[in-house]
Amino acid sequence: MVLAATIKLVLTGPSTSVKKRGVPAMNQSAGPSQLEVIEASEYGGRQPTGWAKSFLLGTALVWALFQLWVASPLPFVWGIGVFNDTEIRSIHLAFAIFLVYLSFPRKRGVIVHVIPWIDWLLALMATFCAAYLYLFYEQLADRAGAPTTLDVTVAVAGVLLLLEATRRALGWPLTVIAGCFLIYSLAGPWLPDLLAHKGASLQRLASHQWLSTEGVFGVAVGVSAGFVFLFVLFGSLLEQAGGGHYFIRVAYSLVGHMRGGPAKAGVLASGLTGMVSGSSIANVVTTGTFTIPLMKKVGFSAEKSGAIEVAASTNGQIMPPVMGAAAFLMVEYLNLSYLEVIKHAFLPAVLSYIALMYLVHLEAIKSGMQGTQRQRRISQRQRLLSWGLTLAGTATFFLLAYLVIDGVNRLFGDLAFYLNSGLIIALYVVLIFCEVRCGLRQKEREAAESLSPQEALLGGLHYLLPILVLVWCLMLLRLSPATAVFYAICLMIFIQLTQEGLRALFAGQQMTAGLRQGFLSLVKGLENGARNMIGIGVATATAGIVVGTVSLTGIGQVLGELIETLSLGSVFLMLLLTAIICMILGMGLPTTANYIVVSTLMAPVIVQLSASHGLEIPLVAVHMFVFYFGILADDTPPVGLAAYAAAGISGGDPIRTGLQSFYYDIRTAILPFMFIFNTELLLIGVESVVDFIQVAGQGLIAILLFVSATQGWLMIRNRWWETVLLLVIAFSLFRPDFWRDQLFPAYDIQPAAAVETHLQRLSTDDAIRLQVEVEQDDGSRQLRDVLLALSSVSGEGRLQQLGFITEADGDSLRVNDIAFMSPAESAGLEPGYTLRISGYYTALRQPDSGWFLLPPLLILGGIVLLQLRRKDMK
């Protein structure tokens, strides 16, 4: 009965005794709880009263409305309020930094109610510095490269105020990182040889970082102002309207009755909300408030309950279609279409979530948990029939919707937009009518724990309409992300304003109270969206300092040399060191800033070193690799902020929660190492449905076996040698080509004397793999494979066009010099070393890698039979 009452309370939403954002009410006289302190760190610890509260609300609303205005087509239709990209970035940062100083006190994690005069002064100064590019845009353009004393003064003050704002909003990690990069820019001539560079004057540094679009106001802030704000706002409006509760109800109705059901519901709900959430911590606080107490009720410890929620929430940042807004940064950085980025990200994210669900299932089995019986017992046949009809009806609905919308587009041309909008609104009204007439709203309130999946799904189906509009505009209409999310927000605003009024109307009641409630809900959603963006806005700006330092000093080359030295020529060690550095760099950063920092610093390192080791790794795989490990910093002690947020809800130890969640996330950590070498997991080179099914099937079995190995349980508890074999089988399924290459080499070495003739036979779309002998400082010689693309060479003398100045030396070619800025130099070959081209590689025919799946599958079958026999003997 206690569990049923708890489920009913959770699934029907917070009552009047529940605080803001669904946090259970605490003893107010006892001071702020740990969770409230975490929320203060994430969303701002100031809770002013009176006119200051109204002023903050008004500023947040103006910021949200400004972002909606510049994303809409209205400025161009009416010819007013048109801003260029640089002006939008300047105004965007001005709003963010102004709200930081008013929302976040000097001491993080405390809750205060007064804004001191010094913070008002700092807020105004910082706002002026940020808006300087907008206020004096034409003058700065006229004197580009020749800043005045006022320009430099404003730039220096702006950088310092931005660092303090970052410390207040996000703590020390990103502040220290940005500060170190600024010092590095100035101290170049006095650094050791490995780190030294020519340095930059204070005037040049200030101009580069603040007065240009190379630093603070670069691509990062541009994406924050253009895309990220709108997606965060969309998620906030959806949550405020009730979408978060809807996802939790659906998740619980689907899996809540199973063994360890609340934990599985938490994973599913976090995956659904994570698709549109821009923060792991926000996801934990939003869904964990409901799911963690239920996990503890059924037997999970406080640390495991928090860890499951943290693992699910951090993985939400790798889940398409939003990926914590990193998807849109990848579009800008990789020059790929949005659809390509989503395609590459899809399979690893899905595999990771399925594996987490399986992991939770194994934890429940090991703890001896049992599922609960549904209040309404139905036969398996009835369940299958019900689900079959539901899926068939859903598929039929989407097919009809596609045909209708496509038909309207073809028949009515320019009027199609208005007609389709009318059809969507009509569908929304019909869904509200069916919800009220079928009594689904009342069923949720009275017996939420007994809802069937069909009732839970239908009791809020209209929340999916804005998401469908978003996906439709992005994938089928191929609109820009900003335009697509703008239309989705417009529909979300309409739903938020009218849903309670329509419910009252269809229930035979007055609409006035419902419409008033909808308006207040909209205002709160806009405010929360803007407040959630405060930290992200200053974080992307501060991350721009890192980007600016890279372009100013060339530190990326230094990091590459450092990692190459430490990796001792091992590709695996190189990737492992890069992963560790990404996790360190990502600690304490929101998703967008996290991706900006790791992709700017570490992605070029992998590209450079992989080429110098003869590896051809697609750029999108490199960026996915660093992004995954940057995200894993959210649950990695000692900083892991998501773990602290979860511990605040569960009452568990934050460090233990972080360690447990990191242990759970090992399944996510192995995926980047796999798709770096097996790019089919990113759907690169997968051309048919059959290929997709094979790749997805292999990946699914492999990740589940990996989880079974790390959890020590398949059918029953594993023996140690079974765990070892399961790890080998999982690796073999992820990379069957590894064993094939060991038995049947992919390349054959040919003498270097014939390399020029071979080059003439290749097209500009090909690449050549050379074996180069490099003499080390100690006189020893090292063989290195170098992969060089031929896209920039043609005609005669291709070897020289690649950068090699050579002369014959028997069957080898002695390299006398390496041309400056040539492909050879970019691959890590430097002039001044004794180099020799000892050969080149030609491809050999290999058997299909599918044949190498049979041995591991046969071994797996043997392990399953042995465990079933032991299980039967018990």
Side-chain angles (χ1 to χ4, degrees):
M1 293 298 294
V2 174
L3 178 58
T6 305
I7 295 171
K8 181 175 180 179
L9 172 64
V10 168
L11 295 181
T12 53
S15 65
T16 55
S17 66
V18 179
K19 293 176 69 67
K20 177 186 174 185
R21 298 183 62 84
V23 180
M26 306 288 180
N27 182 359
Q28 299 302 309
S29 62
S33 67
Q34 184 183 4
L35 176 58
E36 289 172 318
V37 172
I38 290 292
E39 285 195 301
S41 299
E42 177 77 356
Y43 306 109
R46 285 229 174 89
Q47 299 175 0
T49 58
W51 70 270
K53 178 180 180 181
S54 301
F55 184 80
L56 278 178
L57 171 62
T59 305
L61 291 178
V62 171
W63 189 16
L65 294 175
F66 167 76
Q67 295 290 163
L68 286 173
W69 173 261
V70 297
S72 73
L74 297 179
F76 302 97
V77 173
W78 294 343
I80 58 173
V82 178
F83 302 91
N84 62 37
D85 288 343
T86 303
E87 292 173 327
I88 292 173
R89 296 174 187 182
S90 177
I91 297 172
H92 174 81
L93 182 57
F95 272 113
I97 205 168
F98 180 74
L99 288 172
V100 165
Y101 280 101
L102 299 187
S103 300
F104 291 83
R106 286 191 296 275
K107 184 176 180 182
R108 298 188 75 241
V110 300
I111 299 175
V112 297
H113 304 283
V114 177
I115 304 176
W117 68 268
I118 186 65
D119 282 352
W120 284 103
L121 179 60
L122 291 174
L124 292 174
M125 290 173 58
T127 303
F128 173 76
C129 293
Y132 192 74
L133 270 71
Y134 167 69
L135 296 173
F136 301 98
Y137 179 77
E138 294 184 1
Q139 295 91 321
L140 289 171
D142 290 339
R143 58 174 181 266
T148 64
T149 302
L150 177 61
D151 294 340
V152 175
T153 303
V154 169
V156 172
V159 169
L160 294 177
L161 289 167
L162 176 61
L163 292 178
E164 167 60 13
T166 305
R167 185 198 66 79
R168 292 190 180 203
L170 303 167
W172 284 106
L174 183 56
T175 309
V176 171
I177 290 173
C180 290
F181 275 85
L182 290 172
I183 294 172
Y184 178 78
S185 300
L186 295 170
W190 299 280
L191 294 173
D193 290 342
L194 182 62
L195 301 175
H197 60 93
K198 65 179 182 181
S201 65
L202 181 62
Q203 175 178 324
R204 186 185 176 203
L205 175 64
S207 176
H208 185 83
Q209 293 286 10
W210 197 265
L211 302 177
S212 72
T213 56
E214 296 292 326
V216 170
F217 296 97
V219 174
V221 169
V223 174
S224 176
F227 307 144
V228 179
F229 189 103
L230 297 175
F231 278 91
V232 170
L233 180 62
F234 176 69
S236 176
L237 292 173
L238 182 62
E239 178 192 337
Q240 191 65 34
H245 288 295
Y246 171 69
F247 290 144
I248 293 172
R249 287 196 301 271
V250 171
Y252 197 88
S253 69
L254 288 171
V255 297
H257 65 288
M258 298 179 180
R259 194 194 303 253
K264 294 176 181 176
V267 172
L268 188 56
S270 294
L272 292 171
T273 55
M275 290 192 299
V276 293
S277 170
S279 167
S280 302
I281 303 167
N283 203 344
V284 168
V285 174
T286 301
T287 61
T289 303
F290 302 99
T291 58
I292 290 175
L294 288 177
M295 293 186 221
K296 293 175 66 179
K297 285 284 184 181
V298 298
F300 288 99
S301 67
E303 283 76 18
K304 285 188 176 181
S305 300
I308 290 170
E309 180 58 44
V310 170
S313 296
T314 52
N315 284 183
Q317 303 303 288
I318 65 174
M319 178 64 74
V322 177
M323 299 166 60
F328 309 107
L329 285 162
M330 289 185 184
V331 169
E332 296 291 323
Y333 286 177
L334 301 178
N335 195 27
L336 295 175
S337 70
Y338 172 79
L339 284 180
E340 287 181 282
V341 171
I342 296 305
K343 181 187 78 171
H344 297 319
F346 172 75
L347 185 57
V350 172
L351 292 179
S352 180
Y353 260 107
I354 294 176
L356 181 58
M357 190 77 76
Y358 178 61
L359 185 151
V360 169
H361 179 70
L362 292 182
E363 285 281 16
I365 291 176
K366 291 192 295 182
S367 301
M369 299 179 189
Q370 298 297 324
T372 59
Q373 294 293 335
R374 291 186 183 274
Q375 292 190 7
R376 292 177 294 178
R377 300 287 301 275
I378 60 175
S379 67
Q380 189 69 22
R381 180 179 178 182
Q382 290 173 317
R383 183 176 291 113
L384 291 174
L385 179 61
S386 175
W387 273 107
L389 292 174
T390 301
L391 294 176
T394 304
T396 302
F397 167 77
F398 283 117
L399 177 60
L400 289 175
Y402 173 80
L403 293 175
V404 169
I405 293 176
D406 185 62
V408 170
N409 287 334
R410 292 175 181 274
L411 293 175
F412 296 97
D414 294 338
L415 296 176
F417 171 79
Y418 303 100
L419 292 174
N420 284 329
S421 300
L423 289 173
I424 292 171
I425 292 173
L427 177 60
Y428 156 66
V429 174
V430 169
L431 291 175
I432 294 288
F433 176 80
C434 293
E435 175 191 289
V436 173
R437 290 301 183 184
C438 295
L440 296 176
R441 189 77 168 172
Q442 189 65 25
K443 287 182 180 179
E444 292 169 8
R445 292 171 177 167
E446 293 180 355
E449 71 277 11
S450 64
L451 283 176
S452 68
Q454 290 78 14
E455 290 172 334
L457 182 64
L458 295 174
L461 202 56
H462 61 283
Y463 292 122
L464 299 181
L465 289 177
I467 299 176
L468 293 176
V469 168
L470 173 63
V471 174
W472 183 280
C473 292
L474 284 172
M475 295 188 174
L476 294 179
L477 299 184
R478 303 294 181 95
L479 300 180
S480 70
T483 304
V485 75
F486 171 76
Y487 289 133
I489 288 174
C490 289
L491 179 57
M492 193 69 248
I493 290 174
F494 181 78
I495 290 175
Q496 201 159 2
L497 283 172
T498 60
Q499 64 175 347
E500 293 301 331
L502 288 174
R503 284 169 177 156
L505 175 65
F506 295 139
Q509 302 169 0
Q510 293 291 327
M511 295 179 62
T512 308
L515 293 175
R516 186 184 302 112
Q517 181 182 348
F519 177 77
L520 295 176
S521 175
L522 173 61
V523 171
K524 190 65 177 176
L526 292 171
E527 179 196 8
N528 287 344
R531 290 177 70 91
N532 292 344
M533 268 301 300
I534 295 173
I536 297 175
V538 296
T540 52
T542 309
I545 293 177
V546 177
V547 178
T549 303
V550 171
S551 63
L552 185 64
T553 65
I555 189 177
Q557 182 75 21
V558 173
L559 286 173
E561 293 175 358
L562 179 62
I563 291 179
E564 184 175 23
T565 301
L566 295 176
S567 65
L568 304 175
S570 168
V571 176
F572 176 77
L573 277 180
M574 179 265 289
L575 293 173
L576 184 61
L577 287 170
T578 304
I580 293 172
I581 294 174
C582 286
M583 286 194 286
I584 294 172
L585 291 173
M587 288 183 178
L589 304 189
T591 302
T592 45
N594 191 327
Y595 172 68
I596 294 164
V597 171
V598 298
S599 64
T600 301
L601 292 177
M602 305 313 301
V605 171
I606 297 179
V607 172
Q608 172 189 336
L609 296 183
S610 62
S612 66
H613 286 82
L615 295 176
E616 187 175 8
I617 303 176
L619 192 56
V620 66
V622 172
H623 278 250
M624 287 289 182
F625 182 93
V626 298
F627 176 56
Y628 267 56
F629 283 103
I631 290 299
L632 289 178
D634 280 348
D635 61 10
T636 305
V639 178
L641 297 182
Y644 278 85
I649 303 172
S650 68
D653 180 81
I655 299 298
R656 290 181 181 177
T657 301
L659 290 173
Q660 187 69 46
S661 62
F662 181 76
Y663 176 64
Y664 287 158
D665 266 342
I666 292 176
R667 79 198 188 287
T668 303
I670 68 159
L671 285 171
F673 284 98
M674 295 301 105
F675 63 59
I676 277 284
F677 295 103
N678 181 11
T679 55
E680 287 186 341
L681 290 170
L682 298 177
L683 302 185
I684 297 175
V686 177
E687 304 294 342
S688 67
V689 175
V690 174
D691 290 342
F692 172 78
I693 292 174
Q694 179 181 342
V695 171
Q698 286 177 224
L700 180 59
I701 297 173
I703 196 70
L704 295 182
L705 293 178
F706 181 84
V707 170
S708 288
T710 55
Q711 290 297 304
W713 194 285
L714 184 59
M715 312 302 293
I716 58 173
R717 191 171 301 279
N718 298 336
R719 290 173 177 168
W720 69 266
W721 56 269
E722 290 175 333
T723 295
V724 173
L725 283 178
L726 287 176
L727 290 174
V728 173
I729 294 169
F731 174 78
S732 302
L733 293 177
F734 272 129
R735 289 203 56 201
D737 60 302
F738 176 83
W739 303 112
R740 180 190 64 184
D741 292 344
Q742 300 303 312
L743 297 174
F744 301 92
Y747 300 99
D748 185 28
I749 188 72
Q750 302 292 334
V755 66
E756 190 67 61
T757 303
H758 178 69
L759 281 170
Q760 295 300 320
R761 293 196 294 264
L762 299 178
S763 71
T764 54
D765 295 330
D766 294 326
I768 187 169
R769 191 182 303 271
L770 300 176
Q771 185 183 78
V772 180
E773 188 180 89
V774 183
E775 184 174 335
Q776 306 298 306
D777 294 334
D778 59 2
S780 62
R781 295 181 178 273
Q782 179 186 27
L783 290 177
R784 177 187 297 179
D785 291 343
V786 179
L787 185 68
L788 300 172
L790 302 182
S791 55
S792 60
V793 301
S794 60
E796 300 292 332
R798 287 189 169 189
L799 192 62
Q800 184 171 345
Q801 293 181 54
L802 289 172
F804 296 99
I805 310 300
T806 64
E807 64 177 349
D809 186 7
D811 288 339
S812 301
L813 295 176
R814 182 185 297 113
V815 180
N816 296 325
D817 197 10
I818 299 291
F820 179 67
M821 295 293 288
S822 64
E825 186 184 49
S826 300
L829 301 176
E830 300 179 8
Y833 286 87
T834 302
L835 304 175
R836 186 187 304 272
I837 300 176
S838 54
Y840 67 94
Y841 291 95
T842 55
L844 296 175
R845 294 189 63 181
Q846 295 177 291
D848 190 279
S849 60
W851 291 105
F852 295 86
L853 296 174
L854 295 178
L857 291 176
L858 290 173
I859 296 173
L860 175 61
I863 294 174
V864 170
L865 289 176
L866 287 174
Q867 292 206 358
L868 286 175
R869 182 178 300 175
R870 294 208 307 270
K871 187 176 181 181
D872 292 338
M873 293 172 62
K874 287 189 174 182

